[in-house]
């Protein structure tokens, strides 16, 4: 049995939906996880934020989402004129979900409060729409499918926005999926969202549908988890940034996790965890070129013959906390990291000197409150507009020449931090954000061309 996940770009329009159904038809017993249609989650988040100040504009975003989904359904059903009742059910479903959305937006406006919980409820609507509609479309085109509300299976804690799954609950409730498969149907559920024990909607973090697929794959002991997207696997670098980037045939779980964590958008960083714990391979495949091999991520040990891949991310800040004591004690480090934990600030790169610690924090988090608290330990300097270039799968044997090669290709005046782990084969370089794109292209040329 295979768990197949189709991402937002693949769920973009009715042609892609037909393409996906063709792919699904190659499998005897697939379980399907789908994202919201392209850009819907982003629009939902924008609507939620807009609702605070301008209810009318937030409702216009809701109407736009409604319009797009109705158009997709109308286009899909043009070739199934005998399936009018199913098409009507879909239109009805869209109207109901959008009414719900507008109610949430009105509540945000009236209370002047957008809680993490209501943000999750609003942003889950994309998958609630796409999964139900896709199940109806698959059935109409001859592959009987049953829609499952992911909330019934993906139980999480109440950490809204980045909820943690309850694996035991998921294990105990996956028999619904097995029953559907045994009836000869295919189960289809939305990724990204779940529910806490009080019945409140939670989400697993942006791009969390990959994670849903892996959780389901692990619970079902699937043969493989397949992430279907718009590129043929994980590349040596984001192919949108470097056109010469090449697909990597094989990565191990740790390398794939590092790449995802340091910015390779193709995979949610938590995806590998349930898969690796259960030794289930993950394949990354292309809906536009299904015959391409793509990338297999597995527990296999890799050969040590060159850097595997590189990735980059922007919009980071460096925080340097210098202890008021001359020598930095473990109390200092524990205190600093406690404050970061309290503020949910994810740490990317860390370096230390005898009395200071420098930490990069990703993606536009608000650092003001944390910085204020960190000042109780000493001075705090913040450098904004930073980016991180990460090299993954670096061979241990010629690390020296690799570091020389990479650093000599950069404007070293602008390099602010370097961290390197020989045992993990990782090299991270933090440099000014405006240099990231050109530096990535130069390094890629030197290492991969
Ligand atoms: N190392 C990489 N390998 C492949 N794709 C990457 C990499 N880094 C970034 N990407 C980007 O990830 C995109 C696929 O992810 P995403 O758009 O989130 O897909 P989906 O909508 O299917 O979840 C690709 O189109 C590509 O531009
Ligand atoms: N909700 C999607 C993410 C998504 O659809 O993003 P966008 O709105 O940018 O297409 C997921 O987690 O899989």
């Amino acid at each position: 049995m295979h768990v197949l996940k189709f991402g937002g770009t693949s769920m973009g329009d009715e042609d892609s939906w037909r393409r996906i159904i063709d792919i699904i038809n190659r499998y005897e017993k697939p379980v399907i996880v789908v994202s919201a249609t392209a850009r819907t989650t982003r629009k939902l988040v924008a609507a939620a934020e807009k609702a605070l100040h301008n209810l009318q504009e937030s409702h216009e975003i809701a109407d736009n989402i409604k319009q797009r989904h109705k158009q997709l359904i109308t286009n899909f059903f043009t070739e199934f004129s005998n399936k009018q009742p199913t098409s009507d059910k879909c239109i009805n479903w869209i109207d109901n979900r959008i009414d719900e959305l507008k109610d949430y937006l009105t509540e945000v406006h009236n209370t002047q409060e957008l809680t993490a919980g209501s943000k999750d409820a609003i942003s889950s609507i994309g998958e609630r729409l796409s999964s139900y509609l896709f199940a109806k479309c698959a059935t109409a085109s001859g592959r009987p499918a049953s829609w499952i509300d992911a909330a019934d299976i993906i139980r999480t804690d109440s950490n809204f926005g980045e909820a943690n799954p309850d694996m035991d609950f998921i294990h105990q409730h996956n028999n619904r999926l097995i029953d559907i498969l045994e009836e000869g149907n295919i189960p289809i559920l939305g990724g990204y969202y779940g529910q806490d024990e009080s019945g409140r909607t939670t989400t697993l973090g942006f791009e969390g549908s990959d994670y849903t697929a892996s959780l389901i794959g692990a619970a079902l002991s699937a043969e493989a988890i397949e992430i279907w997207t718009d590129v043929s696997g994980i590349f040596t670098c984001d192919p949108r940034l470097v056109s010469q980037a090449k697909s990597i045939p094989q990565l191990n779980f740790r390398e794939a996790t590092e790449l995802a964590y340091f910015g390779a958008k193709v995979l949610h960083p938590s995806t590998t965890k349930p898969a690796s714990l259960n030794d289930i391979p993950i394949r990354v495949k292309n809906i536009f070129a299904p015959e391409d091999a793509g990338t297999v991520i597995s527990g296999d040990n890799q050969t040590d013959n060159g850097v595997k891949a590189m990735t980059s991310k922007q919009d980071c800040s460096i925080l340097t906390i210098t202890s008021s004591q001359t020598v930095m004690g473990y109390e200092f480090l524990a205190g600093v990291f406690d404050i970061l934990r309290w503020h949910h600030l994810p740490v990317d790169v860390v370096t230390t000197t005898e009395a200071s610690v420098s930490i990069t924090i990703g993606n536009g988090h608000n650092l003001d409150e944390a910085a204020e608290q960190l000042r109780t330990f000493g001075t705090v300097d913040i450098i904004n507009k930073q980016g991180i270039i990460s090299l993954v799968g670096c061979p241990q044997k010629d690390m020296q020449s690799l570091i020389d090669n990479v650093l000599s290709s950069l404007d070293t005046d602008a390099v602010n931090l370097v961290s390197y782990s020989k045992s993990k084969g990782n090299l991270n370089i933090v440099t000014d954000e405006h240099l990231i794109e050109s530096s990535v292209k130069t390094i890629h040329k030197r290492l991969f061309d």
Side-chain angles (χ1 to χ4, degrees):
M1 190 258 298
H2 291 74
V3 177
L4 314 181
K5 177 259 173 177
F6 296 91
T9 35
S10 322
M11 293 291 289
D13 58 26
E14 63 282 1
D15 287 338
S16 304
W17 285 32
R18 289 190 193 104
R19 193 170 285 124
I20 293 175
I21 292 166
D22 285 346
I23 292 169
I24 291 172
N25 282 337
R26 298 165 176 216
Y27 294 79
E28 201 191 332
K29 285 189 172 179
V31 175
I32 311 299
V33 175
V34 295
S35 287
T37 59
R39 295 177 304 285
T40 300
T41 309
R42 247 172 284 189
K43 287 187 179 175
L44 289 163
V45 172
E49 283 162 2
K50 182 74 60 183
L52 283 168
H53 314 292
N54 191 330
L55 184 61
Q56 193 191 332
E57 280 187 26
S58 77
H59 279 200
E60 279 165 18
I61 299 176
D63 284 330
N64 171 280
I65 294 171
K66 173 156 83 176
Q67 195 45 38
R68 274 183 41 226
H69 284 81
K70 284 193 174 176
Q71 191 63 56
L72 195 158
I73 289 303
T74 309
N75 294 348
F76 190 92
F77 278 91
T78 44
E79 61 176 286
F80 300 109
S81 50
N82 56 336
K83 300 273 161 59
Q84 191 61 38
T86 312
S87 166
D88 291 346
K89 266 193 189 162
C90 289
I91 299 294
N92 204 22
W93 182 267
I94 298 171
D95 284 333
N96 289 339
R97 299 292 77 70
I98 299 298
D99 285 349
E100 255 169 47
L101 169 61
K102 286 186 175 173
D103 287 347
Y104 282 127
L105 296 172
T106 305
E107 194 183 316
V108 169
H109 185 77
N110 290 344
T111 57
Q112 281 299 292
E113 195 186 16
L114 176 58
T115 61
S118 47
K119 202 169 180 175
D120 275 6
I122 289 171
S123 58
S124 74
I125 287 176
E127 274 76 9
R128 292 184 195 273
L129 281 167
S130 63
S131 54
Y132 177 91
L133 300 175
F134 187 69
K136 292 286 171 216
C137 288
T139 306
S141 60
R143 186 77 198 253
S146 298
W147 177 68
I148 297 282
D149 185 354
D152 294 340
I153 297 185
I154 305 295
R155 166 66 57 84
T156 70
D157 65 9
S158 308
N159 187 23
F160 296 108
E162 214 163 340
N164 300 295
D166 175 344
M167 210 55 221
D168 289 340
F169 184 96
I170 299 170
H171 264 287
Q172 285 154 17
H173 290 76
N174 67 19
N175 40 3
R176 280 199 58 201
L177 301 171
I178 296 167
D179 290 347
I180 291 170
L181 285 171
E182 281 175 0
E183 285 158 15
N185 285 7
I186 53 171
I188 296 186
L189 65 153
Y192 176 60
Y193 74 95
Q195 187 169 283
D196 71 3
E197 61 179 357
S198 312
R200 295 173 300 180
T201 299
T202 56
T203 66
L204 302 171
F206 206 67
E207 305 291 348
S209 299
D210 298 334
Y211 193 14
T212 305
S214 186
L215 291 166
I216 298 285
L220 294 173
S221 300
E223 204 175 301
I225 297 154
E226 299 194 345
I227 306 295
W228 287 81
T229 182
D230 61 347
V231 285
S232 295
I234 300 187
F235 279 55
T236 48
C237 186
D238 184 350
R240 278 186 218 166
L241 188 58
V242 177
S243 55
Q244 293 84 358
K246 298 177 203 78
S247 176
I248 308 163
Q250 224 195 355
L251 286 169
N252 64 33
F253 286 119
R254 196 183 49 69
E255 290 163 344
T257 312
E258 294 281 349
L259 281 174
Y261 187 77
F262 283 104
K265 191 175 165 288
V266 64
L267 213 61
H268 183 286
S270 301
T271 311
T272 47
K273 200 172 164 195
S276 64
L277 285 174
N278 294 277
D279 206 17
I280 300 170
I282 300 175
R283 297 198 190 104
V284 181
K285 304 264 296 171
N286 187 353
I287 67 152
F288 300 103
E291 308 309 332
D292 286 0
T295 300
V296 180
I297 304 163
S298 65
D300 293 349
N301 281 329
Q302 309 291 304
T303 50
D304 196 21
N305 55 6
V307 180
K308 284 275 173 49
M310 63 185 295
T311 185
S312 63
K313 63 176 166 185
Q314 303 197 13
D315 199 13
C316 304
S317 302
I318 302 176
L319 253 89
T320 300
I321 306 105
T322 306
S323 168
S324 25
Q325 312 296 317
T326 42
V327 178
M328 177 175 69
Y330 46 75
E331 292 288 348
F332 168 77
L333 276 183
V336 166
F337 281 95
D338 233 20
I339 291 173
L340 299 178
R341 182 170 61 95
W342 176 255
H343 290 276
H344 297 278
L345 292 173
V347 171
D348 288 331
V349 179
V350 183
T351 63
T352 55
T353 66
E354 85 295 351
S356 73
V357 56
S358 293
I359 294 157
T360 58
I361 309 279
N363 295 12
H365 288 88
N366 186 353
L367 303 179
D368 294 345
E369 274 181 41
E372 197 50 50
Q373 281 179 283
L374 289 167
R375 286 197 180 92
T376 55
F377 293 102
T379 57
V380 177
D381 295 300
I382 301 180
I383 313 177
N384 292 318
K385 293 192 183 313
Q386 297 295 297
I388 306 174
I389 298 172
S390 303
L391 304 184
V392 169
C394 300
Q396 295 191 359
K397 54 181 163 36
D398 36 38
M399 211 51 209
Q400 178 67 49
S401 66
L402 175 73
I403 293 176
D404 290 348
N405 196 0
V406 169
L407 289 182
S408 66
S409 68
L410 295 172
D411 172 358
T412 34
D413 279 348
V415 172
N416 288 314
L417 290 182
V418 176
S419 87
Y420 151 58
S421 161
K422 185 172 179 179
S423 63
K424 302 282 180 197
N426 266 35
L427 176 63
N428 293 319
I429 298 150
V430 185
T431 185
D432 292 354
E433 188 178 76
H434 70 277
L435 296 172
I436 289 286
E437 264 195 50
S438 57
S439 305
V440 165
K441 285 180 178 154
T442 311
I443 297 172
H444 192 276
K445 205 172 171 69
R446 285 200 181 188
L447 299 181
F448 298 99
D449 277 7

